[in-house]
């Protein structure tokens, strides 16, 4: 077995009493002694600090990097203004999704943040398609922290003027950082990309604020689920199209007309027959990924892609794929859980309203 | 003399009170699981063989099977866990009990660990 990679904050996690878990090759904090539910509520009510240094950071440098990247994603990258960032997808010729990512306009090119589990695929994909057009510069020595929650803006007051999905370079608690108004929890907050050597100092200074406490990957997952956000590998994969995933909003008009991204015709000319939907099982039984979804006749018609416990709602929530006709809010569905059908219904996403900064 | 508690290698505990076995998961197990958010309990009247699936405990992270430490018939379940599954975290080996069973053969207890044996067992695991 290859040794797990440690982020620059590994020793801090251990000192904080974190329970560590292997996660795509990294030894990451699953939770801290306060427990996942308390960490989740910390992000909803105060400010939670996450180490997400496993995420892949890289840069595409050179003139025309934006037009080049548009040959691989359906998003509007050329229209990305200075200091702006955007959520987009690497699509495949079959219309499926290779990965989801965040793209920022940076001086002289673009900054990308990709999923840890897909970094190798993504880098290979970029090299084979764009290798001659742009410089692909991995940034393995940078760490990534996320500070999420309604108190985050008071903690990083120097960046409180940043718009949602905006970023700039500056000093965060005296540490040079690329700070963005973004996250994966549905809350207002920031992500901070910093040099590995500066990471402990930054984390320590953030944690010195009484509003800030650690949160682990388990809380990160329940937060993104409540916010109705997709997790690659669960809600998105190489056989799921952006329209099936409910991500049509990432494909603006110009790009739909140009149809010059992988799988464009397959995605745009084939109306989806299934779609991602939010669902709530009745009672407290948890519907987890992989559970079959049953129609009113008890026939399997779909599956749960992400499921878990919502601390805010105090009960289970799930996202899954259903035939289009069954995705209207209020539609009754059943969850096959350990061989027993459990009733539930389709609900609108997100499960918990977003609390993004809207200036 | 205090009632003796026995332990399984699957991290269940059991003790005999007034001739009935009361069972749950150990404090060590709850710290390993993290926050418990749902417990699926057996039906009263169910007959379960030793090491048979008796309950499911769900943490925020995953679902785990809970096995019957002894062979017998379920005579009661802890209804409080329905509304307050977090009792398992707060009081795993007392208020957070799972079920009571009438035991076919108390002799099966001899094959379980006592407290000292279980402590040694989990120290090996950590």
């Amino acid at each position: 077995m290859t040794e797990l990679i440690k982020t620059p904050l590994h020793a801090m996690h251990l000192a904080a009493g974190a329970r560590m878990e292997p996660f795509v090759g990294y030894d990451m904090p699953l939770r801290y002694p306060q427990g996942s539910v308390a960490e989740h509520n910390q992000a909803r009510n105060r400010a939670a600090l996450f180490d997400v240094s496993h995420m892949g950071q890289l840069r595409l440098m050179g003139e025309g990097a934006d037009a080049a990247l548009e040959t691989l994603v359906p998003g509007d990258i050329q229209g990305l203004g200075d200091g702006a960032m955007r959520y987009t997808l690497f699509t495949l010729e079959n219309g499926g999704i290779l990965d989801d990512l965040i793209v920022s306009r940076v001086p002289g090119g673009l900054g990308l943040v990709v999923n840890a589990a897909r970094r190798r695929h993504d880098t290979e994909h970029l090299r084979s398609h764009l290798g001659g057009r742009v410089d692909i510069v991995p940034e393995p020595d940078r760490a990534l922290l996320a500070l999420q929650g309604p108190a985050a803006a008071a903690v990083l007051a120097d960046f409180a003027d940043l718009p949602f999905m905006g970023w700039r370079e500056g000093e965060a608690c005296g540490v040079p950082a690329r700070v963005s108004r973004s996250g994966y929890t549905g809350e207002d907050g920031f992500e901070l990309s910093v040099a590995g050597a500066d990471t402990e100092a930054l984390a320590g200074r953030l944690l010195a604020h009484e509003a800030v406490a650690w949160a682990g990957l388990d809380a990160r997952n329940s937060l993104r689920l409540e916010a109705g956000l997709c997790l690659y590998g669960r809600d998105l994969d190489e056989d799921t199209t952006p329209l099936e995933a409910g991500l049509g909003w990432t494909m603006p008009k110009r790009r739909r007309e140009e149809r010059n991204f992988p799988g464009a015709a397959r995605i745009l000319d084939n109306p989806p027959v299934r779609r991602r939907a939010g669902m709530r099982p009745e009672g407290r039984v948890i519907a987890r990924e992989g559970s079959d979804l049953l129609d009113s006749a008890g026939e399997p018609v779909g599956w749960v892609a992400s499921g878990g416990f919502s601390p805010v709602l105090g009960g289970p929530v799930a996202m899954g794929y259903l035939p289009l006709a069954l995705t209207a809010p209020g539609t009754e569905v059943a969850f096959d859980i350990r061989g027993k059908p459990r009733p539930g219904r389709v609900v609108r996403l997100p499960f918990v309203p977003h609390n993004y900064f809207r200036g | 003399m205090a009632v003796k508690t026995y332990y399984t290698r699957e991290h269940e505990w059991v003790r005999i009170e007034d001739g009935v076995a009361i069972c749950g998961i150990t404090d060590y197990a709850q710290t390993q699981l993290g926050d418990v958010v749902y417990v699926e309990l057996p039906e009263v009247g169910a007959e379960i063989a030793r090491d048979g699936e008796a309950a499911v405990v769900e943490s925020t992270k995953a679902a785990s099977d809970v096995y019957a430490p002894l062979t017998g018939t379920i005579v009661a379940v802890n209804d409080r866990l329905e509304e307050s599954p977090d009792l398992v975290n707060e009081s795993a080996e007392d208020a957070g009990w799972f079920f009571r069973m009438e035991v076919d053969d108390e002799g099966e207890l001899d094959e379980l660990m006592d407290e000292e044996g279980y402590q040694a067992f989990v120290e090996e695991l950590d």
Side-chain angles (χ1 to χ4, degrees):
Chain A
M1 193 182 136
T2 52
E3 200 167 327
L4 295 171
I5 303 167
K6 295 172 178 168
T7 77
L9 297 175
H10 193 266
M12 279 185 91
H13 299 316
L14 295 184
R19 183 183 179 85
M20 308 299 285
E21 186 186 67
F23 186 75
V24 292
Y26 286 78
D27 196 32
M28 296 300 289
L30 178 66
R31 62 171 188 267
Y32 299 83
Q34 58 268 39
S36 305
V37 172
E39 294 163 30
H40 180 110
N41 292 328
Q42 176 76 21
R44 288 278 178 255
N45 301 322
R46 312 263 284 158
L49 183 64
F50 302 81
D51 179 6
V52 289
S53 302
H54 59 297
M55 301 291 288
Q57 300 183 63
L58 59 144
R59 299 209 138 186
L60 300 188
M61 302 307 288
E63 204 169 324
D66 49 5
L69 185 61
E70 281 191 358
T71 64
L72 298 180
V73 306
D76 177 11
I77 307 302
Q78 296 189 67
L80 206 50
D82 286 339
M85 56 202 286
R86 186 158 286 162
Y87 175 75
T88 191
L89 310 163
F90 285 123
T91 52
L92 297 166
E93 292 301 337
N94 71 350
I97 299 168
L98 178 75
D99 197 8
D100 59 344
L101 69 155
I102 296 283
V103 181
S104 330
R105 172 79 66 187
V106 306
L110 300 170
L112 273 54
V113 179
V114 304
N115 282 301
R118 304 300 284 176
R119 178 175 45 198
R120 208 171 290 169
H121 299 78
D122 296 341
T123 309
E124 188 46 45
H125 189 63
L126 288 164
R127 287 219 170 95
S128 68
H129 289 92
L130 307 183
R133 295 178 67 179
V134 297
D135 283 330
I136 300 157
V137 188
E139 298 191 299
D141 298 328
R142 292 190 80 82
L144 194 64
L145 296 182
L147 183 71
Q148 300 282 296
V155 173
L156 284 175
D158 288 349
F159 297 90
D161 60 314
L162 270 178
F164 180 59
M165 298 301 276
W167 79 277
R168 72 166 172 263
E169 201 136 19
E171 286 214 341
C173 308
V175 170
R178 302 174 192 153
V179 181
S180 68
R181 198 76 177 261
S182 64
Y184 192 44
T185 61
E187 292 299 322
D188 185 19
F190 303 89
E191 290 195 348
L192 303 101
S193 169
V194 290
D198 292 334
T199 318
E200 277 201 347
L202 175 57
R205 288 170 202 168
L206 291 171
L207 288 164
H209 287 263
E210 54 103 29
V212 180
W214 280 122
L217 292 185
D218 194 26
R220 183 169 153 87
N221 188 50
S222 53
L223 288 157
R224 71 93 194 166
L225 178 56
E226 278 185 351
L229 301 173
C230 292
L231 173 60
Y232 193 89
R234 297 251 192 260
D235 308 286
L236 309 177
D237 59 34
E238 295 190 358
D239 298 310
T240 300
T241 73
L243 292 176
E244 289 170 338
L247 299 175
W249 60 271
T250 67
M251 303 189 292
K253 187 157 172 282
R254 171 174 68 83
R255 302 307 322 283
R256 288 177 189 238
E257 286 169 1
E258 290 171 349
R259 301 168 76 92
N260 59 351
F261 53 89
R266 284 193 171 228
I267 293 165
L268 299 171
D269 299 339
N270 294 299
V273 294
R274 57 178 170 141
R275 200 172 195 279
R276 180 172 61 98
M279 288 160 281
R280 290 199 64 184
E282 276 175 28
R284 295 189 68 112
V285 65
I286 313 282
R288 295 193 187 269
E289 50 274 9
S291 294
D292 279 339
L293 295 168
L294 313 174
D295 65 10
S296 51
E299 291 299 315
V301 289
W303 67 91
V304 173
S306 289
F309 176 77
S310 158
V312 168
L313 300 177
V317 294
M319 296 196 293
Y321 282 88
L322 281 169
L324 216 52
L326 297 181
T327 55
T331 306
E332 289 183 11
V333 291
F335 302 83
D336 181 345
I337 299 174
R338 294 181 281 277
K340 273 186 260 178
R342 305 282 196 154
R345 60 184 63 243
V346 174
V347 299
R348 219 173 282 283
L349 289 172
F351 298 104
V352 171
H354 293 159
N355 185 33
Y356 297 135
F357 178 62
R358 294 296 180 192
Chain B
M1 195 182 105
V3 178
K4 192 169 168 184
T5 305
Y6 296 84
Y7 298 87
T8 72
R9 298 170 70 89
E10 300 291 337
H11 308 287
E12 292 95 11
W13 58 265
V14 55
R15 56 180 172 259
I16 308 290
E17 289 180 3
D18 302 324
V20 173
I22 174 167
C23 310
I25 66 164
T26 65
D27 191 59
Y28 173 83
Q30 71 80 18
T31 60
Q32 295 294 306
L33 289 171
D35 292 336
V36 172
V37 294
Y38 177 72
V39 180
E40 192 167 288
L41 293 166
E43 303 269 341
V44 171
E47 294 173 25
I48 305 178
R50 183 173 141 215
D51 298 335
E53 288 173 20
V56 177
V57 58
E58 300 225 26
S59 69
T60 51
K61 173 83 180 149
S64 310
D65 287 322
V66 177
Y67 303 99
L70 303 168
T71 301
T73 305
I74 304 294
V75 294
V77 296
N78 186 357
D79 292 327
R80 290 180 69 196
L81 297 184
E82 204 161 305
E83 283 307 308
S84 305
D86 52 337
L87 269 180
V88 178
N89 295 117
E90 287 163 23
S91 180
E93 300 193 22
D94 190 11
W97 62 279
F98 278 35
F99 52 85
R100 292 174 194 261
M101 64 197 309
E102 247 164 35
V103 176
D104 290 2
D105 174 13
E106 284 192 25
E108 286 180 345
L109 287 172
D110 297 341
E111 293 168 51
L112 303 182
M113 289 175 274
D114 61 8
E115 188 171 353
E116 206 177 317
Y118 181 68
Q119 287 310 329
F121 174 67
V122 299
E123 275 166 32
E124 289 277 305
L125 297 178
D126 281 339

